[in-house]
């Protein structure tokens, strides 16, 4: 395996926040949005006990937040640094989470913003859309007992 996980520490919040807002940085700058409430909202939803930092050869390259929800392993957040995208790291992380779900006898679920190109990756890995709201598709990958 090329990627590893390490447990997050409270000091990792700033790193995680930087990745969380990186994709929206241009829009946020142009609209002159006050970042204080946005960061406070993320801090409220970012639970250190649920977060793992994704590393590649000892270097932090992303983060994953997951929890149990409705009897499934729910991927709350998954971010890979832009410079590390397109190298299969997201697929590798998802395969690891799917295996965790299989070992726990749980489906894996997630919500993805409708404009996120990762939708194709999720579909390729066996996730199917179960429902949607105005902003997101909610997807599920059923348990694969065969692994």
């Amino acid at each position: 395996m090329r990627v590893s996980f390490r447990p997050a520490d409270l000091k990792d919040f700033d790193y995680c926040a930087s990745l969380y807002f990186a994709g929206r940085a241009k829009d946020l700058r142009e609209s002159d949005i006050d970042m204080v409430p946005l960061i406070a909202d993320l801090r409220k939803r970012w639970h250190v006990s649920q977060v793992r930092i994704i590393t590649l050869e000892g270097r932090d390259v992303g983060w994953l937040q997951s929890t149990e929800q409705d009897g499934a392993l729910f991927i709350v957040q998954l971010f890979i640094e832009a410079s590390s995208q397109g190298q299969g790291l997201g697929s590798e992380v998802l395969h690891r989470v799917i295996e965790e779900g299989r070992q726990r006898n749980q489906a894996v679920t997630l919500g993805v913003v409708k404009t996120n190109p990762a939708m194709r990756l999720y579909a390729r890995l066996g996730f199917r859309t179960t429902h949607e709201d105005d902003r997101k598709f909610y997807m599920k990958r059923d348990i694969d007992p065969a692994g």
Side-chain angles (χ1 to χ4, degrees):
M1 299 229 163
R2 298 183 320 155
V3 298
S4 301
F5 296 134
R6 69 168 175 81
D9 188 286
L10 290 174
K11 69 182 184 300
D12 290 311
F13 177 80
D14 290 340
Y15 171 73
C16 294
S18 71
L19 287 183
Y20 181 85
F21 293 112
R24 301 172 33 198
K26 183 179 179 225
D27 293 335
L28 292 169
R29 273 193 315 274
E30 289 175 356
S31 58
D32 198 30
I33 291 176
D34 182 3
M35 291 298 295
V36 172
L38 295 177
I39 292 169
D41 179 62
L42 177 61
R43 190 175 297 278
K44 201 178 327 176
R45 295 180 288 117
W46 189 88
H47 302 283
V48 69
S49 63
Q50 299 174 351
V51 175
R52 292 176 274 177
I53 303 301
I54 302 163
T55 64
L56 176 65
E57 298 170 358
R59 184 175 68 84
D60 297 347
V61 294
W63 65 284
L64 166 72
Q65 182 175 350
S66 60
T67 189
E68 187 171 322
Q69 180 176 305
D70 299 325
L73 181 56
F74 179 63
I75 298 172
V76 180
Q77 308 281 355
L78 171 57
F79 290 93
I80 304 288
E81 289 183 7
S83 62
S84 297
Q85 292 176 3
Q87 301 173 31
L89 302 180
S91 294
E92 192 170 334
V93 167
L94 287 166
H95 281 293
R96 301 252 319 258
V97 173
I98 290 165
E99 177 59 19
E100 286 176 25
R102 189 189 69 73
Q103 289 178 6
R104 294 163 62 167
N105 201 34
Q106 293 179 314
V108 178
T109 58
L110 57 86
V112 58
V113 175
K114 290 181 176 182
T115 58
N116 189 331
M119 284 278 305
R120 292 186 305 272
L121 170 62
Y122 301 141
R124 198 168 58 246
L125 293 178
F127 287 84
R128 62 179 170 70
T129 301
T130 57
H131 60 287
E132 64 182 275
D133 61 22
D134 291 344
R135 203 170 136 256
K136 289 184 174 185
F137 290 113
Y138 295 88
M139 304 181 83
K140 177 179 184 180
R141 188 182 191 285
D142 290 314
I143 302 165
D144 181 6

